[in-house]
Amino acid sequence: MPAQTPPAGGPALPVSVQDGVATLTIRNPAKRNAMTPDMWRRMPAVLERLAADPSVRALVLTGEGGTFCAGADISALREGDEESRGLAVAAEEALAAFPRPTLAAVRGHCVGGGCQLAVACDLRFAAEGALFGITPAKLGIVYGASSTRRLVSLVGPATAKYLLFSGELIDAERALRTGLADEVHPEGELDGRVAAFARLLVSRSQLTQAAAKEFANGAGSGPVPAERVAYWEERARESGERAEGVAAFLERRSPVFTWPLTDG
């Protein structure tokens, strides 16, 4: 998929793809990258197109400029609260189901719906000074059940309750301690670290990543169904990934993994 650059200005979700890494940017500069209903509505389709692109092996979600996402556009909540929240959950679920590794690159505010999207990513790297918060208690909104469960699985019940009960923002260091962030870097080093880690993800086996993502995402819902275990064992036997990995190790070279994620 070639790089896509929408016209500059208003709310948008521009996408670029380079060297196997897709970067999806949340852009709404007039409102600190708040998500409008149209942005929520469009995100699943954008993700679907990227998932269908075999050249995409990892996804980075970030915000334009100095902030990640200030949440949902509050003016839109006045117009249609239930519809807007449903759109947000659909976008979150589409992001969580994206079949390749996903990484949120967070700077500035990561609040409300923005934090909801960051939590739906597999990993979150933050800049020093980033602020995280989930703020429905400030608006009298019931946070979605699936979103709450995803947050609890990430940070545990106590931290999830702190965030949801209070609506308070926490800094990047506390986010790191509680598991809401995976790494924290100086502002000027975040982009370089994200790019380097994304390249690392691209170099690894998609087979290993896809199976691990499925198993990890289902860890809180009981044992993995036997048919899914059998499915991935069969893919491993057919793929040749293990033979390539072992040969590369013995030959002291970088492996070239070729298994494509095209079904499943």
Side-chain angles (χ1 to χ4, degrees), residues 155-175:
V155 301
T159 296
K161 289 175 183 177
Y162 178 92
L163 293 168
L164 290 167
F165 290 0
S166 71
E168 290 292 285
L169 306 187
I170 63 173
D171 61 22
E173 288 69 28
R174 183 167 181 177

Side-chain angles (χ1 to χ4, degrees), residues 26 32-35 40 43 61 67-72 88 91-92 95-96 104-124 126 130-136 143 147-148 150-152 154-155 159-160 163-164 167-171 175 178-181:
I26 302 168
R32 292 193 301 176
N33 296 335
M35 293 284 291
W40 288 121
M43 183 171 278
L61 178 68
T67 199
F68 182 76
C69 175
E92 174 196 1
L95 182 56
V106 178
R107 51 172 48 87
H109 283 72
C110 178
V111 179
C115 197
Q116 186 176 353
L117 290 174
V119 169
C121 290
D122 297 313
L123 299 165
R124 288 145 296 279
L131 294 171
F132 296 78
I134 302 177
T135 54
Y143 201 54
S147 305
T148 300
R150 182 169 288 116
L151 179 66
V152 170
L154 180 64
V155 301
T159 296
L163 293 168
L164 290 167
E168 290 292 285
L169 306 187
I170 63 173
D171 61 22
T178 58
L180 188 54

Side-chain angles (χ1 to χ4, degrees), residues 196-222:
F197 193 79
R199 288 194 298 271
L200 179 71
L201 293 176
V202 167
S203 74
R204 303 308 196 210
S205 168
Q206 283 193 85
L207 175 71
T208 301
Q209 292 168 346
K213 183 163 183 171
E214 179 179 323
F215 295 164
N217 285 351
S221 56

